[in-house]
Amino acid sequence: METPTPAQHQHQHQHQHPQLHPGAWWLWALALGTAATRTTNPLLLTLLLTVSAYVVATRRPHTPWSRSYGAFVKLAAAVLLIRLAFAVVLGSPIPGTHVLLHLPEVPLPDWAQGIRLGGRVTAEALTFALYDALRLATLLVCVGAANALANPSRLLKSLPGALYEMGVAVVVALTFAPHLIADVRRLRAARRLRGRPDRGVRGLLQVGLPVLEGALERSVALAAAMDARGYGRTAQVPPAVRRTTAALTLGGLLGVCAGTYGLLTADGGAYGLPVLLVGVAAALAGLWLGGRRTLRTRYRPDRWGVRAWLVTASGAAVAAALTLAATRDPAALHPGVVPLVAPTLPLWPAAAVLVGLLPAFITPAPEATDTRKEPA
């Protein structure tokens, strides 16, 4: 009886446990980010950060591009510190009575009214800055979770034909940070092995030039590969189809804008939803016709299965629950700072945020990397 090879074992494992569609990860992460924009409660925002971090820790694949999550976390921390520093140095329009410290105030000319440097720093102003910065930091971490969980090449393969060229540009931009982080780590490890400094200004300058050189070489190689595969070449379509595609796409986008404006205004509630639906249908029809100009094939396309629907639904449920809670109980989701009160954790919005943990239990676990090398 023939013994299966390790490659056959891996193929059977992938067949039994198909990977999740990358679009589902992005929709889940964007839904969590949308939920973060609906509240400034630090307890709910911290809960959203914990949910996204747990899913990333349990379902992040062992690939170079998945290591970018740490960079997004550091970026979120930097945004938080910068926002607090601005509130201390430049002041805040939020009135307050709890003065923490007095800084020397720099007098400014008359044309700079409304701006001050230094002065008193109140607890109310710092708390408002902290809530606002924590919301933006949570949004950045959710985007980082999508970058760490979704395979960018598989995501590009799933885009419609009309959006393929724009999708290539977006995917290249999104994968720039993971490749840059991988290059920096590799070069710093090589310098440590050679006994050279890898920290400080000198180490940064010595690492920066090879990283830039590697990025340029990767760009040239990518351009050559894209040209060899016929990137940018289009099929011949009748002029009537081109004009119809442009009219449907432009009309659909205008309909989406008009319908959204109608939904946001009090007088446009009657026509807002129908115009929005018609605009979305026209835009989708334009994208479908525009895909006929793209000469593109798919090898083993990703299937949108039940797990993808469940992952997307879990994120949408969190976003919908916090949007509803912001409408029914705005005081709980936006704790006041004047007067300064301690934030409380609303129970049913917090329970709804925990629904975002569903992908950690229903999606397949990442494959463990095998460090053993087979004999050549």
Side-chain angles (χ1 to χ4, degrees), residues 8 46 48 50 52 57 74 85 119 123 143 153 166 179 198 207 228 251 277 279 331 334-335 343 353 373:
Q8 292 175 347
T46 304
L48 284 169
T50 305
S52 63
K74 294 178 181 178
V143 174
S153 60
M166 183 179 67
H179 285 300
D198 62 319
V207 171
L277 295 177
H334 299 278
V353 172
K373 296 183 178 180

Side-chain angles (χ1 to χ4, degrees), residues 6 18 30 62 94 122 126 144 161 163 184 221 226 236 250 259 261 284 288 301 304-305 334 337 372:
L30 292 179
H62 303 283
I94 302 298
T122 62
L126 283 182
L163 301 177
V184 170
M226 292 168 64
Q236 294 293 333
L250 182 60
Y261 177 78
L284 292 178
W288 178 75
W304 192 278
H334 299 278
V337 294
R372 296 173 300 177

Side-chain angles (χ1 to χ4, degrees), residues 7 9 42 60-61 64 87 96 103 118 127 142 148 230 247 252 288 294 296 309 320 328 366:
H9 275 300
R60 179 172 55 176
L103 296 178
T127 304
C142 291
W288 178 75
T294 304
R296 180 166 168 253
W309 283 113
R328 293 190 173 184

